[in-house]
Amino acid sequence: MAGVTVTLLGGFSAAVDGEPVPEKAWRLKKARELVKLLALAPDHRLHREQVMDVLWRDRGPAAAANNLHQAVHVARRALDAGAIELRDEVLFLDADADVDRFEAAAAHARGAGTAAAYRAALSVYGGELLPENRYDDWAIDRRERLAGLAAELERELAALGPAEGPRGLPADASSFVGRERELAMLRSLLEHTRLLTLSGTGGAGKTRLALELARGAEPSYAGGVALVELAAVSEPQLLPDAVAAAFDVRAMPGRTLVDAIVDVVAPRPLLLVLDNCEHLLGASAALAATLLRAAPVLTVLATSREPLRIPGEVVFRVPSLDIPDPDHPGTPDELLRYEAVRLFVDRAAAAAPGFALDEENTADVARICFRLDGLPLALELAAGRLGALGPAAVAERLDDRFRLLGSGSDAAPTRQQTLAATLQWSHDLLEPDERTLFRRLAVFAGGFGLAAVEEVCAGDGLAEQELADLLARLVEKSLVVADEGRERRYRLLETVRLYARDRLREAGETDALAGRHARWALALAERERGAPRLDREAANLRAAFDALAGDDVLRFCVALAPFWLRRIELEEATRRFAVALDAAPEPTALRADALLAAAAIDFRAGSIPRGNALAEEAHDVARGLDDRHAEWRALQFLGELKLAVDEPPDAERWLERGVELARRERFPAAEAIGVYSLGVARWVGDDLAAAEELIEASLDRFREVESSQERISSPVNVAETRTSTPGGALRVVFEDTLQPFAEISCEAAIGYVLVNLATIARTGGDLARARALLQEGLARFERLGDERGLATFLVRSAYQELAEGSLARARACLERALELRRRLSDRRGVGIALVGLGLVDTTAGEFESAARHLAEAREIFSRAGDRWGFVSALWRTADLALARGDLDAAGAALQEALAVVRETRRERWIAHTVARIGEIAALRDGAKAPLSPGKGAPDITPAAPSIEGGTT
């Protein structure tokens, strides 16, 4: 529920989540009076009869009850639907009222006995209670009690006499924005520890957060709060003088200044704030330890870019403000949920009066906050530029942020007047070996592990065995962020990384480190071959391309092809392959591999003609090199491409040549795959008997080589069936897909062949055999621990359950598959599972859930440029619109699908989409009734199917 606050002292007002409720929201005066009554009542609750007796005593019971009902309705609309509840004839108001806060603050002040606590309590008393209700009997007694309490507090405060002790905290020069979560955690920590250190990157807002924390805690310390600003203290021996000055104390002859400070702080509860300890770390730690031992009721709150490291210290690392995703900034209201945005907008409005967040500048503001890592200092400096530059101009110039943000407030400490000065302050405090590692870490993008640091950054003055300790020291000094997780990962904030990159360039190490980093990335990609573990290195992999050349770029592209396919990052893959192939035109075995990998990318994207040309060139190169295995791979791929565009005769010609070559050269696993693909070709050509015979034969061949260690390409996937709707219309259902260019074991291949054979059995109407084949495939996947295979089984089982009429079991299978594929970072598999859930939900009449699933699927496929997946999602979107009776939306989805599928030249998909558009036209003419919602599961019937998925 929204946070509702009610103000009664000085006059009535209300706010919801900090936004004032406008006067016009109170359409009934008695609705406002109802809120006042409940806010003043004990525990904010009153029996409805009591309310009616006060507000409508001149009305009969029925009229009073009706008026109460209307008042409650208006009040809920003004505040929040859950602000007022009626349970067992009792009305409850869920709100924070200032009268309650005043009485609680008064009680705390009397308990604490400090002037600060009394002043805090009196600040809550905003004046006479409800002056507009001065003559209403129900407010008189409470008004007098509250006024009397305020007068008593004034007298008690005066009796405390002039304030003694430290000078206190400086006034705020600007508003404090955000950090509600951190403040709540810190208040709790401060209550239970005597030394709390706020550490973090320069510019993270440690000082401001500490001051805000201290202001809130001040009433709890009878001795007050003392602030000692250490930034201007240059020598450790001057530290006691700075602390003594905060208490206005001098040493007596024969005693040290520290003794004099102890005499002041020891007798009373006091909060000492030591700000910016990092350059005086040893002296700060020694003095804090001395004071804490000598003064048992002293609490120390320190800020430092690294911990003090003394017993009892609790360290709180101050994070950056939360930031939005610049690719999905959302509406202005949504963007203002992020603390970084709220701070930037607040400071921008001060620098450029009239500035406001709107639809036009949301993307630029989101980009600024993201690029500046949510660092408060950087955001404030950037906001200060809006007096001369617009948000777009600031966002465009952040690559040169140290020049752009080169000056700030003259009132700020020198180290905080520019972004570069803030980071230089931290850099200058590093030891020489720490500086070396710090600048070398700039070569990483996104994040890195310790092993990568040891491989890339060691040498030339840094021993590998020293790097773990050096990295830990940089984490402690708040220049490196350590992310929690099963495997510890590290990263530099982007602003810090750019500063370190400049230091790397000054040291003349940029090219050498970039080369080491690129070689590490290439070795990693070739070792992992697309495994989900590579996902966390995505930014590093992209960065490595800039330092590779010649054949190394081709090797890198080939190694990354499975990675790009799993993540459906097709546009980047196409671009990278084009550049790499142009740069290395020589007809080598590596080029043949790269041509087939690039063809697999085009296949996935639906760019079949270009993929076909690349595969044919790969075949020519392989033949020219007399590389028989590469030649077979090209023949197999060309056959599968023809299957994808529904040309089974051409497919069979290529596949038969591949099988003949495999037999001749004694490639048994290749022969098994080829025979299997020929079976799929027969299935695509509607020859079900021949298809099953060939696929059964391929199973026999796979079983003969299942103990082989040879890795083979994943079997082409039977991915499409047709369903009939209750109205008799046909629907193509794109069920699932495997990843082309993925390599699997011969043993695992048997599992995939089994589940594909199950699909063929199901489309032939033999549901019992289909289920048995699925279970056999499942047993194999479980034995191998093949999670990708298990996900495939679950999706196929979902369509089996649909065919048998069980929507609930179908949904359960798809939900398990979705969860598994999300964990495997299989984006395309996620999209296909979401499309399946959309189909199930539509069939069940659960239209809102279907719309959510299909919208997410369309987003995945659209962003990736995956035409097959996108069209399948649009087909199901049209089904949903038809089930809702929205012919316009159905027609729009199909027209969009037609525009996309025409680019693929996949004739049967084009024909199916055109037929669906014709169906819509017929429905407009009243020739047919639209699909009725919730009519049950579709009937899976044999039809001309096709394939999509595993290739070489």
Side-chain angles (χ1 to χ4, degrees), residues 690-810:
E692 291 203 50
E693 182 180 346
L694 283 165
I695 293 176
E696 291 281 7
S698 76
L699 274 176
D700 293 338
R701 286 170 170 78
F702 273 124
R703 289 189 172 107
E704 290 173 1
V705 296
E706 66 176 303
S707 60
S708 168
Q709 298 301 307
E710 183 180 357
R711 305 287 292 178
I712 59 172
S713 55
S714 56
V716 68
N717 211 26
V718 177
E720 180 188 308
T721 58
R722 292 189 184 184
T723 73
S724 61
T725 72
L730 285 179
R731 297 284 184 269
V732 171
V733 178
F734 189 55
E735 291 186 7
D736 197 22
T737 179
L738 281 182
Q739 175 186 323
F741 217 70
E743 291 186 345
I744 59 176
S745 68
C746 293
E747 192 175 9
I750 296 173
Y752 290 104
V753 172
L754 286 167
V755 296
N756 280 308
L757 190 57
T759 299
I760 293 175
R762 169 161 52 83
T763 59
D766 192 345
L767 299 183
R769 182 165 180 262
R771 184 170 288 280
L773 288 165
L774 283 171
Q775 291 302 314
E776 188 179 350
L778 170 63
R780 185 168 291 270
F781 291 139
E782 288 181 334
R783 186 171 70 251
L784 296 174
D786 186 343
E787 290 188 316
R788 193 177 299 278
L790 178 58
T792 300
F793 160 80
L794 287 167
V795 173
R796 296 314 177 86
S797 293
Y799 286 94
Q800 176 80 16
E801 299 295 351
L802 272 177
E804 295 181 1
S806 176
L807 288 174
R809 288 197 293 270

Side-chain angles (χ1 to χ4, degrees), residues 137-175:
D137 293 343
W138 51 267
I140 292 175
D141 288 346
R142 189 69 176 277
R143 180 183 297 113
E144 291 176 351
R145 288 203 307 273
L146 290 169
L149 177 59
E152 291 171 5
L153 293 177
E154 291 279 9
R155 290 193 295 271
E156 292 167 14
L157 174 60
L160 291 175
E164 295 182 2
R167 300 173 195 158
L169 301 171
D172 271 336
S174 58
S175 59

Side-chain angles (χ1 to χ4, degrees), residues 179 288 398 461 503-504 527 598 697:
R179 299 290 197 191
L398 286 180
R503 307 290 76 74
L504 189 68
R527 183 170 66 249

Side-chain angles (χ1 to χ4, degrees), residues 601-616:
I601 299 295
D602 285 333
F603 172 64
R604 171 64 79 229
S607 301
I608 299 299
R610 186 171 63 193
N612 194 75
L614 291 169
E616 287 182 350

